[in-house]
Amino acid sequence: MVAPSLVALCIRAGWNEYGGILVEATEKLCLHGSTDVAVALVEKIAAPSSSTSEQSSICARMASIACEKILASSSKSTTLDTYKKLVRIIGTYCPSFAQRFTASAKLLDVDSIIYPLVTDNALKAAASNSMKDSLSVLAIFSAQKLSSRVSNALGDTTIWSIPNANLSQNITYSSFLRSPCKIVLDWKVCKSDHESFFRDLRQLISMGVISAESYQPGGRGLYHFKITKLKARRVPITSIGSLRCSCSGSRYSYSHSSQSHTCLVEQHKATISKYRDDMIKLGVVKALLTLEQQSKLGSRKRSVISCAFSSANADPSPYSASAGLRNPYPSSFASAAANPGPTFSAIGAQGQLHSQHAAKKQKTSFDVINLLDDDDDIHVEEVLGADQAIAKRIKEAEDKGEVVDIS
């Protein structure tokens, strides 16, 4: 209620009378770190459309001082409410600060400042053209940040839930079989019940996914029944949120030997919640963009992923898919995959035929040359025709003084 009285006082006495005091008060507030109060003061005495030029001029000076201080410091303690007021006063009194406002806002937190700022439809509708442009730039910036977050995969994690847990009909340990965290379940139970447990778990045991044991600790006392999971699975962390766990409040004793006390659902709950929140925010911000801006955002996202992939594969293994190697025998491989190999007896028969054929071929070759000398060893140095081979052999025999008779 103070501001309206102050405005009335300035109107009666004249704005020039108190203008200097108001400007000085704004400077003092900013000097002592009360920029939020300075901005609020500007808004309280804001000039209506029918105001005098003196009032508008004083408001413009006060607004410039407050905006200069806030945008120069880029204090992270500046509230969302203050930035919304800046949108209004910059657009009305000092539009030259629009670009500095955009640059300053980009340094702030996306979730607490930028996102709520650009998604305030009433604020944008009442903003000047220059500030609408600034909010549009910030919307694109926000979309890029959120897109970068959701494009970074959260990775995988190991879970111990049994996919075929429905093969067991006993509700005594059904929650354990479906638990992603627990590996071993060990509890005291009457010996007479053990046979029914084994019978119920028979299929899971035969599949090799669990083992079951009936025993007496120390060979005396009450009997225990113990179920141990044998196979873990790797799943995306984003899928953990849909799982249920019985880590707390169980009336059975869980073994803690394999970090089974760590609840994966609780461990990743905050991460998954943040990821889903970012997905929702990205959808809201993208709805504010034009089709061209959305297209550029998609291109930038693909470029970032491509660069990351190239960096990760800068020195690819010669056996990796990214090395650009091709299977030199695709047809043969496909044929071999489609047609199973011959039996051992067939392989033996083929090998015997192959050996006989090779021996016959080798014997035939020797018969031709042995017409000259049955005792000479054969060293193949060049490929000759039949006439050339005979002529060469005759010459070698003559050089040694041998008598060659070919009939």
Side-chain angles (χ1 to χ4, degrees), residues 5 30 57 61 64 91 140 223 250 262 267 291 330 340 344 372 376-377 388:
S5 300
C30 292
S57 177
R61 290 169 61 189
S64 297
I140 297 174
Y223 272 84
S250 175
T262 303
Q267 180 182 346
L291 293 177
F344 285 110
L372 305 178
D376 286 350
D377 293 331
Q388 291 175 320

Side-chain angles (χ1 to χ4, degrees), residues 184-195:
V184 178
L185 175 62
D186 190 328
W187 78 103
K188 299 175 183 178
V189 63
C190 295
K191 182 69 166 64
S192 58
D193 294 332
H194 291 201
E195 184 179 352

Side-chain angles (χ1 to χ4, degrees), residues 167-184:
L167 295 177
S168 168
Q169 304 299 319
N170 196 313
I171 61 173
T172 304
Y173 37 76
S174 60
S175 61
F176 164 74
L177 296 177
R178 290 175 172 81
S179 171
C181 314
K182 301 308 175 185
I183 304 174
V184 178

Side-chain angles (χ1 to χ4, degrees), residues 212-260:
E213 178 185 359
S214 172
Y215 72 102
Q216 275 182 299
R220 58 188 300 177
L222 295 176
Y223 272 84
H224 283 229
F225 196 84
K226 181 179 179 181
I227 303 175
T228 304
K229 296 176 184 176
L230 304 178
K231 294 183 179 180
R233 293 184 293 142
R234 298 291 296 179
V235 298
I237 291 178
T238 51
S239 66
I240 295 293
S242 61
L243 299 178
R244 297 291 180 269
C245 187
S246 57
C247 290
S248 60
S250 175
R251 60 190 179 96
Y252 301 115
S253 170
Y254 288 103
S255 171
H256 295 262
S257 59
S258 302
Q259 298 181 347
S260 57

Side-chain angles (χ1 to χ4, degrees), residues 39 43 78-91 101 112-123 127 131 135:
V39 171
E43 280 215 315
T78 306
T79 64
L80 170 64
D81 185 59
T82 298
Y83 266 85
K84 288 185 176 182
K85 290 176 180 178
L86 286 181
V87 172
R88 291 189 286 265
I89 67 174
I90 289 176
F101 170 86
S112 61
I113 300 292
I114 302 178
Y115 174 78
L117 194 66
V118 300
T119 54
D120 190 329
N121 294 327
L123 178 69
M131 294 311 294
L135 292 174

Side-chain angles (χ1 to χ4, degrees), residues 343-406:
T343 62
F344 285 110
S345 58
I347 292 174
Q350 290 177 359
Q352 185 178 5
L353 290 174
H354 178 74
S355 300
Q356 292 175 354
H357 177 73
K360 182 178 180 181
K361 183 177 181 180
Q362 184 180 22
K363 184 176 185 304
T364 303
S365 300
F366 279 133
D367 286 346
V368 173
I369 299 175
N370 283 345
L371 291 173
L372 305 178
D373 190 346
D374 287 339
D375 298 325
D376 286 350
D377 293 331
I378 300 173
H379 301 282
V380 179
E381 296 179 355
E382 57 181 327
V383 180
L384 302 175
D387 295 340
Q388 291 175 320
I390 294 174
K392 182 177 180 180
R393 188 69 187 88
I394 292 174
K395 186 176 184 306
E396 290 175 353
E398 290 176 347
D399 291 341
K400 295 178 181 179
E402 297 176 355
V403 177
V404 180
D405 183 16
I406 302 177

